[in-house]
Amino acid sequence: MQDAKPNKGKTAAEAFAERTSGIRRADAARIPGSSVHASLANEIGLRIVRGDYPPGTILPNEAKWSETFDVSRSAVREAIKMLMAKSLLSSRPKIGSWVEPKERWNLLDRDVLAWYATSPDREVFLRTVQEFRHIIEPEASAFAAMRRTDEQMAEISQACREMDEATNLQERTRADTRFHLAILRASGNDLLVPLGVLIESAFDHLFAFTTRELDDLQHAQRLHEAIEKSIRLQRPDAARNAVRKLLANTDSVIKSR
């Protein structure tokens, strides 16, 4: 993903303000709940994750950021604090802020995941998400088949139906994500619930990609319905195998790229 190029006559600060919808542009659409420091953190974080500032890079100081983006130094400080909390940056007096090694980044943070998903390594990201699914989802589905409540089953079934009834990519992707997150909740493992919420954006990006690339949506739908049926009939082995078939299908889509 490249930086949006400023239109002729616009300053770099004005172009940044339009992209982030949160800095000094009264006529720009404002993201609900956004703030100057959050918008700045988003811009810097995206640049770090996509590789503009490789690990070990010393970032510009407060004065330079403030001048570049026409924001206050306090906003810069708050943005840097946000990125340090996500383990993207470290800071030390007289040295400044520098980019941490990738293995230290909090990749389960919603923002970091979103930046990662739009980076040049997007396909690496998709494969990483898929590997995570192989580790987690077959057993989570088997547990869901054994432990799900009627209310949880209704949620899984509804999401599966909504996938089939979706009229556009966004509707289908959101229903697909709800389906898999509902299964994680139904597994009855307390650690999977917050984990599922955190990786929601990762699932969204993966499913949007695979849905666009699929040649046979009905085949994919049948694979999801097989999972739903196995959980509904409380057959853990069948649920586990059904998920593995779905994952194999998704693997083939990613590898065909």
Side-chain angles (χ1 to χ4, degrees), residues 223-241:
L223 292 173
H224 283 81
E225 290 171 354
I227 298 170
E228 187 273 346
K229 180 179 180 181
S230 298
I231 296 174
R232 177 162 40 84
L233 297 178
Q234 298 184 298
R235 296 174 178 171
D237 289 338
R240 186 184 294 112
N241 291 332

Side-chain angles (χ1 to χ4, degrees), residues 144 152 155 177-189 192-193 196-197:
Q152 290 169 334
E155 184 181 11
T177 299
R178 287 196 301 274
F179 176 80
H180 291 278
L181 294 181
I183 292 174
L184 292 183
R185 286 191 291 272
S187 71
N189 186 297
L192 289 182
V193 176
V197 172

Side-chain angles (χ1 to χ4, degrees), residues 112-126:
V112 180
L113 274 173
W115 300 330
Y116 192 9
T118 58
S119 73
D121 289 336
R122 184 166 180 264
E123 291 186 22
V124 173
F125 167 78
L126 295 176

